Amino acid sequence: MISEKIIIITAPSGSGKTTLVKRVLAAYPKVAFSVSACTRKPRPGEEHARDYYFYTDTEFQRMIEDDAFVEWEMVYTGKYYGTLKSELNRIWNSGRFPLVDIDVNGALAIQKRHPRTALSIFIQAPSIDILRERLLLRGTETPQTLEERIDKAKFELTFANQFDKIVVNDDLDKATEELIAIVEGFLSA
Ligand code: ADP
Ligand code: 5GP
């Protein structure tokens, strides 16, 4: 039986996690993105079951009652996100390793649940000012959601040391190389 290893990537919003995760996935066919469930609306270009499983509040509540999640949380005001047990099992059963892209609390929860088989990596932008700049350039936030993300980022930065590895995403290519080397070491151990 394949060992049930999990790669956890966590970071404050805007640190470059999605960008880096895409690069790791492209380099490793054995690693599969674990698609989370959430109740926020899809952004332009996002697809159900590829980026997230997009659900209504009622559907999400039903899934909580059905014990469908490894962990779930209200990540932003009124917006729920959760890692589905069925998703991790789907990936393990296909002979691959799930990579979860998740906020800090969710990452701590999965780490606690899978202490021997999870590798947790915290991605950090070089500074809060750079983080703000990247979020502005990404153009996905309103002034209000931007401030909420920055406040949450400041809080999340205080947890960086609780994860197995920290990667500072200054130069994108260097951060990619570092991340790929970490994943390689974990999967080959
Ligand atoms: P997250 O998933 O952590 O919220 P994204 O991957 O969406 O972050 O990155 C936020 C923005 O910053 C995107 O517009 C992305 O293209 C850009 N970005 C990511 N990494 C870097 C980097 N090393 N240097 C400059 N811009 C970056
Ligand atoms: P976004 O709305 O930008 O896609 O994601 C917002 C935040 O939710 C990101 O930090 C992302 O990592 C986190 N997130 C995505 N999926 C999950 C999940 O299943 N559980 C938790 N706890 N956080 C998640």
Side-chain angles (χ1 to χ4, degrees):
M1 197 180 103
I2 183 167
S3 84
E4 296 192 340
K5 287 182 179 174
I6 312 177
I7 299 159
I8 306 169
I9 309 259
T10 190
S13 177
S15 308
K17 179 163 44 91
T18 309
T19 310
L20 285 165
V21 162
K22 283 187 181 149
R23 289 175 163 218
V24 170
L25 293 172
Y28 281 97
K30 276 272 184 194
V31 176
F33 183 66
S34 165
V35 179
S36 291
C38 80
T39 65
R40 77 154 165 77
K41 297 274 177 285
R43 293 182 187 138
E46 284 185 334
E47 269 178 39
H48 180 78
R50 187 194 66 188
D51 300 288
Y52 282 105
Y53 297 104
F54 294 100
Y55 291 116
T56 62
D57 286 343
T58 312
E59 287 168 333
F60 200 97
Q61 287 306 323
R62 168 76 55 82
M63 289 159 79
I64 294 173
E65 283 158 28
D66 290 347
D67 197 24
F69 293 111
V70 184
E71 62 75 44
W72 63 269
E73 260 187 280
M74 187 168 78
V75 174
Y76 297 107
T77 315
K79 303 293 176 225
Y80 292 84
Y81 294 74
T83 308
L84 291 161
K85 291 178 183 171
S86 57
E87 183 69 3
L88 298 185
N89 287 329
R90 179 183 71 78
I91 295 170
W92 283 321
N93 289 338
S94 72
R96 294 172 298 160
F97 304 102
L99 181 155
V100 298
D101 163 342
I102 193 172
D103 86 331
V104 161
N105 279 326
L108 291 171
I110 296 196
Q111 195 169 245
K112 203 165 164 190
R113 218 164 146 150
H114 297 271
R116 283 183 301 279
T117 48
L119 171 76
S120 57
I121 305 161
F122 186 90
I123 313 285
Q124 195 172 327
S127 70
I128 287 285
D129 283 345
I130 291 177
L131 187 85
R132 182 189 293 276
E133 200 176 286
R134 287 183 187 170
L135 279 172
L136 274 170
L137 282 171
R138 192 172 71 182
T140 51
E141 308 307 316
T142 64
Q144 191 195 343
T145 63
L146 179 74
E147 284 320 308
E148 189 178 0
R149 282 178 188 248
I150 297 288
D151 282 349
K152 187 171 159 72
K154 287 180 184 162
F155 176 69
E156 290 186 328
L157 276 170
T158 65
F159 289 88
N161 289 324
Q162 299 200 26
F163 298 102
D164 297 322
K165 305 276 179 187
I166 298 177
V167 172
V168 177
N169 178 20
D170 188 354
D171 178 89
L172 186 55
D173 288 337
K174 276 197 192 139
T176 305
E177 259 175 47
E178 200 179 325
L179 188 57
I180 285 180
I182 290 169
V183 168
E184 203 158 59
F186 175 63
L187 295 184
S188 61

